[in-house]
């Protein structure tokens, strides 16, 4: 707190998005693929004719490239990190990982085919733990999507212009000498072909060209975006699927070019091969089998540098075995769940064995107990999560313990102590405190999805009984949130279909901007009570909840 040189302005943005025009002012991604990883600060204008982007696409983040497409596609998240770094992919503003990878000797991490999830609205972050130490403060990055966007309809067009500066690495303040900018257009020439042209200045003047092609008579899909200046940099995604059992994917980004082949020999068994421009060629097998209370998933491959990479997930009733490894290290985890539901909640016993071999021969064995509550918060984190155990490495031993809770309204608290780690005999401690208070219509427990308000809004509904018939809510008149599925109908659908968040004094719904019809069903009211109005037309705008208070 006292060293102001460590302070930085991570983000400041004004955003307005409509069906046909978008304005991005402040910190933002560039609409072109940039070699720079630093923040870009500027002004971007996007205009569309003949199509509207999906309203539900990536509500948690604002990327001009996503506003130039007319369909949701699976995306690839990739980046650079030191070998041996544990990289976790996290949705929303919690910390529960949905995928993780141990960075191998290539120094590249990659999560393939990440789909849009309405529950988290496309907002993803990357947690990087140096040397796999979970008690070390992770480097947190916004997810960098390298997939080329999709097509637009025939006859439609889009135009984007942007200008700004890269922030300085030391002061995080934009520097005038680092100006960046570009202009581009995109046109749908036919139902199968979309092209784009433009110019970009990013350290040097470069030409931008894009092609999106999906022929009717061929099982082919082509998406290529190229920057041509002193060097040629292409981002490509070319898929060829001649049969449901065989597929070929040629992809490239600023890190490498890759060819992936997959051949499904049976329902459970498949072969795969991969060639990488900056790494070795590899091939392997994949097997999966599932029955009641039993499942097996195995993936193993060997490359031309004799490096074996494997992943095994085996479940048998309450017992689960997870083995994974590459040339940098291995991780073996055995879990026995004591709960009856055979899920990830309840009490469990853990036995873990890790190794790292990049610098020296490091080993860590841990034995412990874990508890995860069946109840979860709105962002997917467990309401209570705890661990306690003992670990031994090559040079010593010690206890480890962690405790996380969101039982306090609007506050998440998590602490972790580790007496010994894989790469050190020194103890370490970390603590995390995150507030998620809502300040609209009074202070109340909120959620950690506030960034979704950049492109979404919602409804804040507070029904009450006007007992003195003065047409306003008095302090003694409580908010009525019981039987909300019978009380309210939104766009001719019961309220439960919209996944409401019910609190003691309000009903919250997160919705894309639009005009909605809200009906009040008399069947949900207590006897001898009726609503003042039968229905309302409600306008939801991005930026906040639209408050509705009715009798």
């Amino acid at each position: 707190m006292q060293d102001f040189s460590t302070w930085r302005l991570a983000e400041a943005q004004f955003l307005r998005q409509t069906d046909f025009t978008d304005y991005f002012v402040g910190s933002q991604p560039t609409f072109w693929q940039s070699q720079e990883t630093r923040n870009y600060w500027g002004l971007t204008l996007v205009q569309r004719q003949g199509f509207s982007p999906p309203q539900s696409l990536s509500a948690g983040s604002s990327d001009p490239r996503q506003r130039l497409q007319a369909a949701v596609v699976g995306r690839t998240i990739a980046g650079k990190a030191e070998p041996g770094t544990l990289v976790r992919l996290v949705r929303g503003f919690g910390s529960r990982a949905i995928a993780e990878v141990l960075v191998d000797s290539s120094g590249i991490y990659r999560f393939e085919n990440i789909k849009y999830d309405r529950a988290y609205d496309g907002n993803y972050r990357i947690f990087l733990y140096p040397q796999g130490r979970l008690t070390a403060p992770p480097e947190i990055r916004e997810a960098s999507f390298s997939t080329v966007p999709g097509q637009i309809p025939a006859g439609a067009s889009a135009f984007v212009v942007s200008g700004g500066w890269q922030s300085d690495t030391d002061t995080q303040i934009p520097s005038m000498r680092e100006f960046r900018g570009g202009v581009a257009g995109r046109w749908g020439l036919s139902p199968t072909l979309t092209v784009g042209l433009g110019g970009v200045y990013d350290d040097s003047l470069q030409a931008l060209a894009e092609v999106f092609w999906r022929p009717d008579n061929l099982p082919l899909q082509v998406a290529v975006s190229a920057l041509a200046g002193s060097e040629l940099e292409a981002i490509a995604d070319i898929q060829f699927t001649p049969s449901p059992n065989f597929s070929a994917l040629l992809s490239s980004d600023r890190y490498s070019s890759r060819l992936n082949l997959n051949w499904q020999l049976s329902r459970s068994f498949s072969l795969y091969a991969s060639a990488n421009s900056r790494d070795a060629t590899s091939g392997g097998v994949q097997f999966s089998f599932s029955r009641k209370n039993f499942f097996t998933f195995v993936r193993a491959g060997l490359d031309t540098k004799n490096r074996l990479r494997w992943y095994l997930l085996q479940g048998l009733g309450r017992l689960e075995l997870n083995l994974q490894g590459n040339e940098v290290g291995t991780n073996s985890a055995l879990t026995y769940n004591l709960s009856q539901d055979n899920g990830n909640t309840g009490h469990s016993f853990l036995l873990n064995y890790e190794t790292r071999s990049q610098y020296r021969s490091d080993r860590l064995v841990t034995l412990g107990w874990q508890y995860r509550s069946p109840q979860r918060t709105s962002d997917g984190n467990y309401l209570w999560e705890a661990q306690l155990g003992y670990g031994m490495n090559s040079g010593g031993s010690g206890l480890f313990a962690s405790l996380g809770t969101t039982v306090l309204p609007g506050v998440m608290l998590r602490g972790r102590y580790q007496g010994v780690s894989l790469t050190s005999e020194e103890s370490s401690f970390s603590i995390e405190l995150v507030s998620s208070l809502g300040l609209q219509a009074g202070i109340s427990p909120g959620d950690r999805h506030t960034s979704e308000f950049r492109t979404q809004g919602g409804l804040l509904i507070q029904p009450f009984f006007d007992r003195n018939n003065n047409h306003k809510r008095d302090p003694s008149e409580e908010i009525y949130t019981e039987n909300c599925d019978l009380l309210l109908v939104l766009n001719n659908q019961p309220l439960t279909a919209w996944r409401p968040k019910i609190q003691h004094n309000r009903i919250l719904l997160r919705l894309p901007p639009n005009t909605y019809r809200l009906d009040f069903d008399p069947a949900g009211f207590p006897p001898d009570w009726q609503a003042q109005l039968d229905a309302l037309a409600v306008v939801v705008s991005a930026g906040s909840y639209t408050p509705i208070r009715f009798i």
Side-chain angles (χ1 to χ4, degrees):
M1 294 291 291
Q2 296 176 351
D3 185 2
F4 287 98
S5 63
T6 63
W7 291 47
R8 69 186 184 96
L9 181 62
E11 181 180 17
Q13 182 186 84
F14 169 80
L15 173 66
R16 175 167 175 78
Q17 295 180 335
T18 67
D19 287 343
F20 301 105
T21 305
D22 302 326
Y23 302 92
F24 298 78
V25 182
S27 58
Q28 59 187 279
T30 57
F31 73 81
W32 65 93
Q33 294 285 348
S34 174
Q35 293 282 4
E36 294 283 355
T37 58
R38 295 176 288 163
N39 287 343
Y40 173 72
W41 297 74
L43 168 65
T44 300
L45 170 66
V46 179
Q47 287 191 325
R48 294 172 295 273
Q49 291 184 347
F51 76 99
S52 297
Q55 292 182 340
S56 59
L57 176 60
S58 293
S61 59
S62 50
D63 190 334
R65 289 171 294 175
Q66 297 169 2
R67 304 293 291 177
L68 296 172
Q69 65 186 69
V72 178
V73 296
R75 296 173 291 175
T76 297
I77 297 175
K80 287 185 177 181
E82 288 293 325
T85 301
L86 180 65
V87 182
R88 287 183 166 180
L89 178 63
V90 176
R91 278 186 295 210
F93 280 81
S95 58
R96 187 170 64 91
I98 62 170
E100 68 178 31
V101 63
L102 180 66
V103 179
D104 56 31
S105 56
S106 68
I108 304 296
Y109 63 84
R110 182 174 284 106
F111 299 97
E112 303 280 357
N113 199 30
I114 303 301
K115 297 292 187 180
Y116 165 76
D117 188 336
R118 181 174 180 177
Y120 297 92
D121 297 296
N123 187 22
Y124 294 92
R125 294 186 299 162
I126 300 295
F127 284 46
L128 296 99
Y129 294 89
Q131 300 178 349
R133 296 180 61 183
L134 295 179
T135 53
E139 179 187 352
I140 302 177
R141 301 176 183 175
E142 293 296 326
S144 177
F145 301 108
S146 60
T147 302
V148 180
Q151 288 180 280
I152 60 176
S157 63
F159 175 80
V160 57
V161 58
S162 181
W165 297 266
Q166 294 289 161
S167 62
D168 186 85
T169 53
D170 295 326
T171 63
Q172 297 296 325
I173 298 174
S175 173
M176 294 293 291
R177 65 179 180 273
E178 296 184 323
F179 177 79
R180 304 288 186 268
V183 178
R186 186 178 294 178
W187 299 271
L189 301 184
S190 72
T192 62
L193 180 63
T194 297
V195 299
L197 294 172
V200 171
Y201 180 80
D202 191 351
D203 283 335
S204 62
L205 189 62
Q206 303 172 78
L208 173 67
E210 299 176 314
V211 175
F212 308 96
W213 184 44
R214 296 183 182 180
D216 292 331
N217 301 322
L218 289 174
L220 183 67
Q221 177 178 314
V222 177
V224 179
S225 177
L227 281 172
S230 57
E231 298 180 356
L232 178 64
E233 179 184 352
I235 301 168
D237 189 343
I238 302 174
Q239 300 182 40
F240 180 63
T241 312
S243 74
N245 298 324
F246 182 82
S247 64
L249 171 63
L250 176 63
S251 58
S252 70
D253 51 33
R254 65 175 181 264
Y255 303 114
S256 64
S257 297
R258 302 165 301 281
L259 175 63
N260 296 300
L261 305 176
N262 187 75
W263 187 12
Q264 188 80 28
L265 297 179
S266 68
R267 184 177 180 180
S268 301
F269 187 76
S270 63
L271 302 176
Y272 69 89
S274 176
N276 194 314
S277 62
R278 63 175 294 167
D279 205 351
T281 300
S282 63
V285 297
Q286 180 173 299
F287 175 79
S288 61
F289 181 79
S290 179
R291 289 292 185 269
K292 184 178 180 181
N293 297 327
F294 178 87
F295 63 87
T296 301
F297 178 84
V298 181
R299 183 180 176 92
L302 184 68
D303 64 21
T304 53
K305 295 182 179 179
N306 292 324
R307 296 180 302 191
L308 180 64
R309 298 169 181 174
W310 73 92
Y311 180 85
L312 166 66
L313 182 62
Q314 176 67 62
L316 177 60
R318 302 181 185 181
L319 194 65
E320 182 177 296
L321 177 65
N322 190 328
L323 305 176
Q324 54 182 308
N326 54 38
E327 68 278 7
V328 171
T330 65
N331 192 334
S332 306
L334 182 65
T335 305
Y336 182 75
N337 197 327
L338 299 176
S339 62
Q340 296 292 332
D341 58 2
N342 294 333
N344 294 322
T345 61
H347 299 271
S348 302
F349 286 127
L350 309 174
L351 176 61
N352 199 343
Y353 177 68
E354 297 179 75
T355 67
R356 294 289 185 276
S357 58
Q358 59 190 125
Y359 302 119
R360 61 179 186 175
S361 181
D362 293 311
R363 295 176 175 83
L364 176 67
V365 179
T366 56
L367 176 64
W369 159 85
Q370 175 179 273
Y371 173 74
R372 289 173 172 172
S373 64
Q375 300 83 12
R376 299 198 184 193
T377 60
S378 59
D379 59 2
N381 284 302
Y382 299 103
L383 188 62
W384 283 96
E385 185 173 10
Q387 278 191 353
L388 179 64
Y390 192 79
M392 296 177 292
N393 71 359
S394 306
S397 61
L399 293 171
F400 69 88
S402 68
L403 178 64
T405 178
T406 50
V407 69
L408 298 175
V411 177
M412 180 187 73
L413 178 64
R414 179 182 290 112
R416 181 179 176 90
Y417 169 80
Q418 192 167 7
V420 65
S421 68
L422 180 63
T423 58
S424 174
E425 291 79 41
E426 296 182 357
S427 61
S428 58
F429 177 73
S430 64
I431 189 168
E432 180 181 4
L433 181 66
V434 181
S435 170
S436 57
L437 294 174
L439 303 179
Q440 188 172 1
I443 299 177
S444 66
D447 58 43
R448 282 174 288 279
H449 295 271
T450 53
S451 93
E452 296 174 11
F453 279 127
R454 294 170 177 167
T455 56
Q456 283 198 342
L459 297 180
L460 191 158
I461 305 172
Q462 293 181 310
F464 67 96
F465 296 119
D466 187 18
R467 301 185 185 280
N468 57 10
N469 201 28
N470 63 351
H471 299 283
K472 66 178 182 180
R473 180 176 172 264
D474 300 315
S476 60
E477 294 170 344
E478 297 181 355
I479 302 296
Y480 180 75
T481 58
E482 299 179 8
N483 301 323
C484 65
D485 55 333
L486 302 176
L487 179 66
L488 302 169
V489 178
L490 186 65
N491 278 8
N492 297 319
Q493 291 185 342
L495 206 64
T496 52
W498 301 87
R499 302 174 65 178
K501 182 180 179 181
I502 302 175
Q503 299 179 358
H504 72 282
N505 64 346
R506 65 192 65 198
I507 302 170
L508 300 175
L509 288 86
R510 191 63 60 85
L511 299 167
N514 211 333
T515 301
Y516 296 85
R517 177 187 174 95
L518 183 66
D519 289 274
F520 309 115
D521 190 346
F525 288 90
D528 301 327
W529 286 91
Q530 62 182 7
Q532 188 180 34
L533 299 172
D534 294 330
L536 287 174
V538 183
V539 177
V540 172
S541 301
S544 67
Y545 290 108
T546 299
I548 302 174
R549 299 176 180 88
F550 68 95
I551 305 170

